[in-house]
Amino acid sequence: MEEIKNDGRRGHAHVVLIPYPGQGHINPLLQFAKHLAFRGVKATLATTHYTARSICAPNVGVEPISDGFDESGFAQAGSEDVYLNSFKSNGSRTLSQLITKYKSSGFPVDCVVYDSFLPWALDVAREHGIYGASFFTNSAAVSSIFCLLHSGQLSLPLKLDDDESSLQLPGLPPLKSRDIPSFLQAPGSYPAYLAMKLSQFSNLEQADWVFGNTFEALEWEVARTVSELWPVKMIGPMVPSAYLDGRIEDDRGYGASLWKPLGDECMEWLEEKPCQSVAYVSFGSMVSLSAEQMEEMAWGLKDSDVNFIWVVRGSELDKLPNGFIESTREKGLIVTWCNQLEMLAHRAIGCFVTHCGWNSTLEGLSLGVPMVGVPKWADQLTDAKFIEGVWRVGVRAKEDEKGIVRREELIACLKQVILKSGGSSDEMVMRRNAREWRGLAKEAMSEGGSSDKSIAQFVEHLKSRGRNGYSNGN
Ligand code: UDP
């Protein structure tokens, strides 16, 4: 870290946080903003015009910046490539204007905490002579794989000879083909996203801090092994405070919802269900299942012994089999979006059928809910490996040769995970492990816990320097 000047504002600090504008990125950065505000830092979330409208969190300011598509965001851009280039140029310009605006306001910005997918934000921070901190929203395991690629210790494509071969990487368990992030096995599948993921490390050595949404007890081995390349401070899990340390008042939701959550409907329905009798099913904000996969999920849930709440986003509804909603009304509820944490925290929920996005994974661990992993792409494959094989809090559904999880497989997985009277030993072990991870997650975020200390150190540093002037030698 380079030397900084003290401008006499000791005790005050202003941090601007910039997420990639997707639900799974806004949530953890907004949560981090709340933790900074809780410790007396002025925290401002700067996000695209389109997403800024859906954010409302007490004590966190919201400022729009532009991705060049202010009306409807990504949907307006047409392709990942166009979107990311436009966000880089328009985002850099408007972030710079925002920092300038605050210079004369009495609250000059001291630090930009940027989503690691947006390394251009660090360049903007540098131009203004202020701190820049990168925030990784993936697991340490996944980040370390990309880190090894960047440093040339691995090369693309990461293809194994067959399904039984495995890859041994520092700090990680042996990874089979099905465990490796999909972009790396097929680099041509989403070239723009792959480039974005690799760019996380392009200027990282200039960042003043590197934060990871994970915690020491969960991933210490990975983080320690790559610490020279990736000097991460683990500050997670970034899950609303009510479910962990309880210190931030009334903090039960992230405060950002790109779709309208159907809270009351879900709660009323759940209230009538017995304890641990319901599977909560969600594929997050981005995954789009094939019609065939959707059908297999639907009939699997219907034929299983369990009740279910299934989040099917509006854009996916027409893939449900005809008459499905009506024919399962007794045991199943389909909703287009909900407050996932409220669901997971409800006594009626017995398991979480998840696509294994990193936030969902952390939420399942933090709430102590056993999981059935149905990962589809990107880092979800690696997260599923850890859920089943490392943290042992769930099982991963097997796909057939067409990449589809069939109904029989889903039913078998549900049987393994959801508690029946008495419970099999597998179920008991997963449930006990889930409870233990919940305890460790709470400990990490509570006063004196490992993540709490890392956040406190960051805040202390900013406040004690009371600065707005980064001396970069110019
Ligand atoms: N989520 C939610 N309501 C839903 C489904 C998902 O609030 O009905 C939230 C969930 O709590 C998580 C985020 O959306 O914080 C999804 O992030 P994740 O990393 O799991 O997956 P992604 O959407 O990025 O694939």
Side-chain angles (χ1 to χ4, degrees):
M1 196 178 298
E2 295 173 60
E3 196 44 47
I4 52 153
K5 294 178 206 147
N6 187 333
D7 68 352
R9 289 172 55 248
R10 190 176 283 272
H12 294 277
H14 184 186
V15 174
V16 166
L17 302 98
I18 307 178
Y20 179 83
Q23 189 75 63
H25 292 255
I26 295 172
N27 286 358
L29 275 123
L30 181 54
Q31 197 56 36
F32 192 46
K34 288 186 223 165
H35 278 281
L36 298 179
F38 171 69
R39 288 166 174 83
V41 170
K42 179 175 169 58
T44 303
L45 195 89
T47 187
T48 59
H49 286 266
Y50 178 62
T51 53
R53 298 171 203 152
S54 39
I55 295 170
C56 177
N59 304 322
V60 176
V62 180
E63 289 275 6
I65 56 171
S66 182
D67 55 6
F69 300 102
D70 296 343
E71 261 320 294
S72 349
F74 180 78
Q76 228 179 316
S79 80
E80 289 96 15
D81 224 14
V82 170
Y83 183 76
L84 295 172
N85 282 324
S86 173
F87 193 18
K88 182 175 178 179
S89 55
N90 289 292
S92 298
R93 179 177 51 79
T94 49
L95 171 62
S96 183
Q97 286 166 355
L98 184 68
I99 296 171
T100 305
K101 179 180 104 173
Y102 274 111
K103 269 185 190 155
S104 52
S105 73
F107 292 107
V109 179
D110 299 287
C111 179
V112 172
V113 174
Y114 61 95
D115 194 312
S116 60
F117 286 5
L118 312 174
W120 46 259
L122 178 58
D123 301 334
V124 178
R126 284 290 172 268
E127 281 160 24
H128 285 269
I130 60 177
Y131 286 132
S134 184
F135 186 108
F136 280 70
T137 60
N138 284 158
S139 70
V142 168
S143 304
S144 76
I145 299 175
F146 281 92
C147 182
L148 292 170
L149 276 161
H150 177 76
S151 69
Q153 295 179 49
L154 283 174
S155 53
L156 291 173
L158 276 188
K159 260 255 148 296
L160 301 178
D161 294 339
D162 54 59
D163 288 349
E164 287 319 303
S165 310
S166 52
L167 183 68
Q168 185 64 67
L169 300 177
L172 298 180
L175 300 177
K176 298 212 160 129
S177 192
R178 65 202 293 256
D179 310 323
I180 298 172
S182 59
F183 298 157
L184 305 182
Q185 300 183 59
S189 57
Y190 289 91
Y193 281 156
L194 175 60
M196 179 174 73
K197 290 214 164 198
L198 290 172
S199 77
Q200 298 176 101
F201 297 91
S202 59
N203 57 0
L204 195 68
E205 71 289 347
Q206 295 170 35
D208 298 293
W209 289 271
V210 179
F211 296 122
N213 185 15
T214 184
F215 56 105
E216 260 177 43
L218 193 68
E219 293 203 277
W220 67 271
E221 199 175 347
V222 187
R224 194 196 50 183
T225 313
V226 290
S227 62
E228 275 185 21
L229 294 170
W230 189 59
V232 70
K233 285 216 172 298
M234 295 185 258
I235 47 81
M238 281 295 126
V239 165
S241 180
Y243 307 100
L244 294 170
D245 57 302
R247 287 182 293 169
I248 304 180
E249 215 180 318
D250 290 334
D251 186 29
R252 304 197 68 77
Y254 288 102
S257 218
L258 301 184
W259 295 273
K260 191 177 170 333
L262 302 169
D264 295 346
E265 199 177 329
C266 295
M267 287 319 233
E268 278 163 26
W269 189 87
L270 276 179
E271 283 309 321
E272 292 177 1
K273 298 288 176 278
C275 210
Q276 293 181 349
S277 71
V278 180
Y280 168 76
V281 187
S282 165
F283 287 86
S285 62
M286 291 178 75
V287 164
S288 171
L289 297 181
S290 67
E292 192 175 0
Q293 178 64 87
M294 199 82 166
E295 191 163 335
E296 292 298 324
M297 288 297 301
W299 299 134
L301 288 170
K302 180 167 190 251
D303 295 345
S304 74
D305 292 340
V306 302
N307 299 312
F308 64 90
I309 287 196
W310 184 5
V311 181
V312 180
R313 297 193 313 277
S315 54
E316 303 282 290
L317 278 173
D318 60 359
K319 294 183 203 160
L320 283 172
N322 278 340
F324 177 75
I325 296 182
E326 296 69 36
S327 70
T328 51
R329 220 177 268 290
E330 271 304 293
K331 64 177 303 205
L333 179 69
I334 305 280
V335 292
T336 48
W337 197 252
C338 64
N339 180 338
Q340 179 158 301
L341 287 156
E342 272 180 13
M343 301 299 107
L344 293 176
H346 199 282
R347 53 153 193 88
I349 296 295
C351 91
F352 181 12
V353 179
T354 171
H355 72 308
C356 308
W358 183 237
N359 294 288
S360 294
T361 302
L362 285 176
E363 290 162 14
L365 287 163
S366 299
L367 276 292
V369 184
M371 296 179 249
V372 173
V374 186
K376 287 293 161 195
W377 73 326
D379 57 311
Q380 297 156 17
L381 311 187
T382 318
D383 299 343
K385 160 74 186 171
F386 277 74
I387 287 172
E388 181 181 64
V390 178
W391 305 316
R392 298 182 188 281
V393 289
V395 295
R396 175 183 178 167
K398 291 188 186 58
E399 299 178 332
D400 68 3
E401 58 294 340
K402 279 178 76 185
I404 306 274
V405 171
R406 296 289 164 195
R407 62 191 80 176
E408 300 78 17
E409 172 66 9
L410 179 66
I411 293 171
C413 288
L414 285 169
K415 276 210 173 102
Q416 264 180 283
V417 170
I418 201 157
L419 198 63
K420 296 265 154 268
S421 45
S424 75
S425 59
D426 274 359
E427 290 160 4
M428 299 308 259
V429 169
M430 279 186 258
R431 213 159 276 281
R432 192 190 62 216
N433 291 344
R435 257 199 317 273
E436 281 178 14
W437 284 117
R438 171 165 166 70
L440 291 167
K442 278 182 163 194
E443 204 175 299
M445 291 307 296
S446 298
E447 197 166 352
S450 57
S451 296
D452 174 68
K453 279 203 254 179
S454 293
I455 301 172
Q457 277 165 9
F458 171 56
V459 169
E460 257 329 288
H461 189 98
L462 289 183
K463 284 188 175 177
S464 65
R465 296 303 181 110
R467 53 145 307 186
N468 174 35
Y470 174 93
S471 167
N472 57 7
N474 295 328

